[in-house]
């Protein structure tokens, strides 16, 4: 296996920190397995390559035509930037659909955190890839569970975990089973007049997560703004789009933008908007922290920020979204945020946005309103 300069890979534009790497041992194991297989590049699909640590070593080894699906907009940008930095090409981006998997004989997968996301991926591989496809999934041993084997077993007759190496393990799935007429995702659920639709990779699935529920309760109790005063509302990190739908209903004349860096979330939010009869009122974009929204152009930002980056607890993701809200809000505009009470974001919000008041605090969640100075 040829040497590859993994240490030169960067996470940008995602959060970069001393304890956050752009690669791990699982990437190298997947690359090694692919090179040993002899499968040509145009018959290889890569799913979940966070920053290019699977795709770029394969192209560096001379394989071309590799198809890649990354859920996160930040990962897609990082792969492009790392490829440019290293002078590599030979791959093409795809969504999780037939164009990614048609004729694929080898699929390399960094195991996702959510079992629902793994189920949707496994079904897609069995549904669209070649009949003799081999799915090689890998992860860090400390994050792997027997439930992942069970999920893979729903779509493949043979699921064989391999011996752990360097604290990582591969699982090889072969012999795809017959797939149902309809894919298992997206799913939908009704919540007191609101319909949520979710793909497997969307946070909380079709459930209304607790933080969003608390924020929605607070929004329902706030004094209503005059229609003319709220022209643009952004659901930043929209997930399945519950806040965007609520905003579209509350502000009938406003432009509502739902944006998320997750492709699964974006597909879910679009489907949620359609299910609630609001597809023509809500613009949904796949973007990194709303980077395409003009500066000082937004009246209200709604935000339920994440506090994980992959499997790491890290507040950097929330900080990037606070900074994004500060950029896009007009002077006097409002950021309404819900977050884990233990994280105590209020001083940071005051520094980045402006005067911040607490609207509600429960043992688990706090809701604040920040006014852009």
């Amino acid at each position: 296996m040829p040497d590859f300069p993994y240490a030169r890979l960067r996470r940008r534009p995602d959060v970069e920190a001393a304890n956050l790497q752009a690669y791990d041992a699982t990437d190298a194991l997947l690359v090694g397995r692919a090179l040993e297989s002899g499968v040509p590049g145009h018959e290889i699909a890569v799913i979940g390559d966070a920053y290019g640590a699977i795709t770029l070593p394969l192209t560096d080894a001379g394989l071309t035509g590799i198809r890649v699906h990354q859920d996160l907009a930040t990962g897609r940008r990082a792969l492009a930037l790392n490829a440019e930095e290293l002078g590599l090409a030979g791959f093409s981006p795809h969504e999780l659909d037939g164009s990614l998997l048609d004729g694929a004989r080898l699929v390399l997968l960094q195991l996702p955190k959510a079992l629902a996301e793994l189920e949707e991926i496994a079904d897609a591989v069995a549904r669209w890839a070649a009949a003799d496809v081999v799915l090689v999934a890998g992860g860090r041993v400390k994050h792997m569970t027997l439930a992942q084997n069970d999920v893979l077993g729903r779509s493949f007759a043979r699921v064989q975990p391999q011996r752990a190496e360097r604290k990582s393990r591969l699982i090889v799935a072969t012999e795809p089973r017959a797939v149902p007429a309809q894919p298992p995702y997206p799913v939908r659920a009704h919540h007191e007049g609101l319909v949520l639709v979710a793909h497997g990779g969307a946070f909380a699935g079709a459930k209304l997560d607790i933080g969003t529920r608390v924020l929605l309760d607070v929004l329902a109790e706030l004094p209503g703004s005059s229609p003319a005063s709220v022209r643009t509302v952004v659901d930043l990190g929209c997930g399945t789009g519950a806040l965007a739908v609520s905003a579209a209903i509350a502000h009938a004349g406003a432009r509502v933008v739902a944006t998320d860096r997750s492709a699964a979330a974006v597909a879910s939010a679009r489907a949620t908007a359609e299910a609630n009869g609001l597809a023509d009122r809500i613009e949904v974009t796949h973007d990194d922290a709303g980077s395409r929204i003009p500066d000082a152009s937004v009246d209200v930002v709604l935000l339920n920020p994440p506090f994980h980056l992959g499997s790491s607890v890290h507040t950097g993701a929330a900080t990037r979204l606070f900074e994004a809200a500060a950029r896009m809000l007009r002077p006097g505009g409002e950021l309404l945020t819900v977050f884990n009470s233990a994280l105590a974001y209020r001083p940071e919000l005051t520094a980045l946005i402006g005067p911040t008041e607490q609207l509600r605090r429960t043992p688990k969640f706090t809701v604040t309103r920040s006014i852009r100075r």
Side-chain angles (χ1 to χ4, degrees):
M1 175 177 163
D3 291 333
F4 179 80
Y6 285 98
R8 290 183 60 186
L9 297 178
R10 293 182 56 188
R11 296 166 53 96
R12 69 196 190 292
D14 207 346
V15 176
E16 294 191 299
N19 65 327
L20 299 173
Q21 291 188 338
Y23 63 95
D24 63 26
T26 308
D27 298 314
L29 291 179
L30 289 167
V31 169
R33 183 81 183 208
L35 294 178
E36 291 169 2
S37 73
V39 175
H42 68 275
E43 294 181 349
I44 296 175
V46 177
I47 302 175
D49 187 359
Y51 306 103
I54 303 169
T55 306
L56 296 181
L58 294 178
T59 60
D60 187 54
L63 296 178
T64 60
I66 297 169
R67 289 167 280 176
V68 185
H69 172 68
Q70 298 165 286
D71 181 61
L72 299 184
T74 45
R76 297 180 186 194
R77 183 62 179 149
L79 170 57
L81 289 170
N82 284 325
E84 182 179 0
E85 173 72 20
L86 296 171
L88 296 172
F91 61 90
S92 58
H94 294 264
E95 299 304 329
L96 184 63
D97 57 21
S99 71
L100 170 75
L101 293 161
D102 183 37
R105 293 178 50 237
L106 176 64
V107 177
L108 305 175
L109 169 66
Q110 266 276 10
L111 282 164
K113 185 177 179 180
L115 292 177
E117 185 174 3
L118 178 60
E119 182 181 12
E120 185 168 22
I121 291 169
D123 174 84
V125 176
R127 186 174 299 274
W128 288 311
D132 62 346
V133 66
V134 176
L135 169 62
V136 183
R140 301 296 277 170
V141 171
K142 64 182 179 180
H143 300 309
M144 297 176 73
T145 66
L146 292 176
Q148 292 170 327
N149 298 348
D150 295 337
V151 169
L152 289 170
R154 296 173 199 166
S155 295
F156 293 87
R158 292 175 59 84
V159 177
Q160 300 172 300
Q162 309 296 293
R163 177 179 294 182
E165 298 182 51
R166 291 175 284 168
K167 300 182 180 179
S168 292
R169 187 191 304 278
L170 299 182
I171 304 172
V172 179
T174 54
E175 301 178 19
R177 299 183 186 276
V179 296
Q182 293 296 320
Y185 293 89
V187 296
R188 65 171 54 204
H190 293 260
H191 303 274
E192 302 174 0
L194 170 68
V195 181
L196 290 184
V197 184
H199 285 268
F203 174 71
K207 298 177 182 178
L208 193 59
D209 78 272
I210 301 173
T212 296
R213 187 184 298 275
V214 172
L215 180 53
L216 285 172
D217 288 345
V218 171
L219 291 174
E221 296 172 3
L222 289 176
S225 302
S226 66
S229 67
V230 178
R231 298 180 300 274
T232 304
V233 181
V234 172
D235 181 357
L236 185 58
C238 64
T240 54
L243 294 173
V245 167
S246 175
I249 293 171
H251 302 286
R255 172 177 176 247
V256 177
V257 179
T259 184
D260 203 294
R261 68 177 189 155
S262 163
V266 165
S268 302
R270 285 197 180 112
T272 291
E274 183 175 355
N276 289 276
L278 294 166
D280 61 338
R281 295 273 325 283
I282 299 173
E283 177 187 350
V284 185
T285 65
H286 188 210
D287 193 9
D288 175 25
S291 67
R292 295 195 293 271
I293 297 172
D295 294 358
S297 65
V298 174
D299 299 294
V300 177
V301 173
L302 306 175
L303 175 60
N304 179 3
F307 57 93
H308 283 85
L309 285 171
S311 299
S312 302
V313 177
H314 199 286
T315 59
T319 297
R320 291 187 78 241
L321 293 176
F322 297 158
E323 292 170 343
R327 179 190 61 77
M328 66 179 68
L329 278 169
R330 62 168 175 77
E334 299 183 359
L335 168 64
L336 291 147
T337 313
V338 61
F339 51 87
N340 190 302
S341 294
L343 294 174
Y345 283 137
R346 189 172 173 183
E348 183 176 8
L349 287 165
T350 299
L352 290 173
I353 309 291
T356 298
E357 63 175 322
Q358 178 178 296
L359 299 179
R360 180 172 297 179
R361 184 182 179 90
T362 72
K364 288 188 176 181
F365 293 98
T366 296
V367 177
T368 59
R369 173 165 52 192
S370 305
I371 306 300
R372 183 72 169 100
R373 63 171 64 86

